[in-house]
Amino acid sequence: DTAVSQTPKYLVTQMGNDKSIKCEQNLGHDTMYWYKQDSKKFLKIMFSYNNKELIINETVPNRFSPKSPDKAHLNLHINSLELGDSAVYFCASSQDMLAGDPSTDTQYFGPGTRLTVL
Amino acid sequence: GDSVTQMEGPVTLSEEAFLTINCTYTATGYPSLFWYVQYPGEGLQLLLKATKADDKGSNKGFEATYRKETTSFHLEKGSVQVSDSAVYFCALSDQEGTSYDKVIFGPGTSLSVIP
């Protein structure tokens, strides 16, 4: 059984379009994340949700909007796609992110969604 | 703020060679330290971790020791295999004065092992 799954695996679209990437985890974790990985493999955190509450919102254009309908799902919607949005987007989850308990900080990553904007 | 620095890649080694990937960090608190590995076309997965000073994490022949005095967590393996070819990320988890831990990843080091 897949622990963290993402759909779609590949997404090719035109500039200006709106698209969504879905993420689901079946680990019973409280915290979920979205990361962007560029062509040089640099990993940048975008958002973090804990129990459906937004905890981390890094400097990301407001064209990116995360939505967490329940704690097992964290979807990413992107409006008005730009060429620079082309990257691999990873969803991840951890048991929680409460301070003081490092045993719950291990992150479990999905397989990634490769977004190509033409 | 907290940060993680890794040696720049790519690193190319022959099979059975000794591997060291350096990682140093800066942190305001007492972070936990991690190594994640990303095989081609896949997401990251935890390789090993250490939660306090002098702890040694180990897995699949890889080891790393949490050195508080040098703020380092270098990854080592005595004899690499072609299947170890991947990108390796050092990371830390720290409270940073809030109620939540924040995880920070290093830039990654690409390793290629040739037969």
Side-chain angles (χ1 to χ4, degrees), chain A residues 22-94:
Chain A
K22 295 185 177 182
C23 177
E24 176 181 2
Q25 54 95 3
N26 63 7
L27 297 167
H29 288 170
D30 286 346
T31 306
M32 296 185 72
Y33 312 79
W34 276 109
Y35 290 89
K36 179 181 180 181
Q37 187 175 47
D38 63 23
S39 59
K40 295 184 179 178
K41 301 296 186 183
F42 185 76
L43 200 65
K44 177 184 174 183
I45 189 163
M46 302 173 70
F47 303 102
S48 170
Y49 270 72
N50 190 67
N51 268 321
K52 302 195 299 173
E53 178 187 354
L54 181 63
I55 300 301
I56 294 174
N57 183 356
E58 296 293 322
T59 307
V60 175
N62 58 14
R63 298 182 294 104
F64 290 80
S65 53
K67 284 191 172 48
S68 183
D70 55 62
K71 72 175 192 178
H73 296 83
L74 181 61
N75 304 323
L76 184 65
H77 188 76
I78 315 170
N79 289 328
S80 304
L81 278 155
E82 300 178 357
L83 294 176
D85 296 333
S86 295
V88 180
Y89 291 83
F90 287 100
C91 177
S93 73
S94 64

Side-chain angles (χ1 to χ4, degrees), chain B:
Chain B
D2 293 4
S3 66
V4 176
T5 304
Q6 290 179 236
M7 61 186 289
E8 284 191 28
V11 174
T12 302
L13 294 173
S14 296
E15 211 165 17
E16 299 183 3
F18 185 86
L19 168 72
T20 299
I21 300 178
N22 289 338
C23 171
T24 57
Y25 67 91
T26 59
T28 52
Y30 300 93
S32 298
L33 302 174
F34 306 80
W35 276 102
Y36 285 83
V37 58
Q38 183 180 25
Y39 298 105
E42 298 183 10
L44 283 72
Q45 55 185 276
L46 179 70
L47 180 60
L48 53 85
K49 70 178 183 182
T51 57
K52 60 183 188 298
D54 300 325
D55 269 2
K56 178 187 282 188
S58 61
N59 185 25
K60 300 182 181 179
F62 291 89
E63 291 183 342
T65 301
Y66 189 140
R67 301 284 187 205
K68 192 166 183 291
E69 64 276 14
T70 55
T71 61
S72 65
F73 193 54
H74 305 322
L75 182 68
E76 296 182 337
K77 186 174 185 181
S79 175
V80 293
Q81 306 299 314
V82 172
S83 57
D84 294 326
S85 297
V87 181
Y88 292 81
F89 293 88
C90 186
L92 69 80
S93 171
D94 193 17
Q95 185 174 357
E96 281 203 316
T98 68
S99 301
Y100 297 96
D101 285 335
K102 185 172 182 179
V103 177
I104 295 171
F105 286 87
T109 302
S110 177
L111 170 66
S112 293
V113 180
I114 54 177

